[in-house]
Amino acid sequence: MIAVLTAALEAVRTGRFQRSLALATAGGSVVTAAEIYLEHDRAGFGNRMMWWPVLLGPLGAGAGLAAALDARAARTVLPLVSAAVAANGVQGFWLHLRGLLEKPGGWRMARFNLETGPPLFAPLLMGMVGGMGLVATVLRREGDTPGREGS
């Protein structure tokens, strides 16, 4: 366990983790967008806002891949797209919470509405993918000398 933690900290210190996290952001964006598409399609895309996370998924994937390949993209494109993805996750959480409150019974029937209504915590997974991208933007990149990150 200690060896794994030590290796992980060494990867962060030397900059190898930055590209890995950018790639994880790309992969997470694809998987999350696909799942959201299926769930929102099942709901008939009843609100036009349901398309936002579906459209942001490929953008997050492209930004994560670009950041893994290019240091400039890691400093410019990835933070912008990741911030949009994270903000959309928070927005989705609010919209899902509002949807639960609007169901018959509201919080008086919280258990039933949580089980049958929009998934309350699912949008936070989208926010977490955006958060991973934001963390990747502030990590040191492999090959950067201290004090000259991203040059």
Side-chain angles (χ1 to χ4, degrees):
M1 178 66 174
I2 298 295
V4 171
L5 184 57
T6 303
L9 290 174
E10 181 67 12
V12 171
R13 188 184 69 75
T14 60
R16 289 189 304 267
F17 189 62
Q18 195 260 357
R19 289 183 183 185
S20 299
L21 194 55
L23 287 173
T25 300
S29 292
V30 170
V31 171
T32 304
E35 178 64 22
I36 291 168
Y37 174 80
L38 293 173
E39 291 300 317
H40 286 180
D41 185 52
R42 189 167 74 166
F45 285 97
N47 182 334
R48 284 185 288 166
M49 298 293 277
M50 291 175 151
W51 283 103
W52 277 103
V54 174
L55 298 174
L56 284 170
L59 291 177
L65 185 58
L69 298 173
D70 181 52
R72 181 176 287 161
R75 291 188 318 269
T76 57
V77 177
L78 187 60
L80 290 174
V81 173
S82 294
V85 170
N88 185 253
V90 173
Q91 177 192 32
F93 176 76
W94 168 251
L95 292 172
H96 282 213
L97 177 63
R98 191 178 74 183
L100 288 171
L101 292 173
E102 291 174 353
K103 288 186 68 70
W107 280 121
R108 289 187 320 275
M109 296 180 60
R111 181 174 177 202
F112 178 79
N113 287 338
L114 283 169
E115 292 173 353
T116 62
L120 183 59
F121 300 111
L124 295 179
L125 296 174
M126 178 87 169
M128 193 168 65
V129 169
M132 288 188 327
L134 290 172
V135 170
T137 66
V138 298
L139 290 175
R140 184 169 172 249
R141 190 175 186 92
E142 188 173 20
D144 288 344
T145 57
R148 290 180 29 109
E149 281 80 9
S151 296

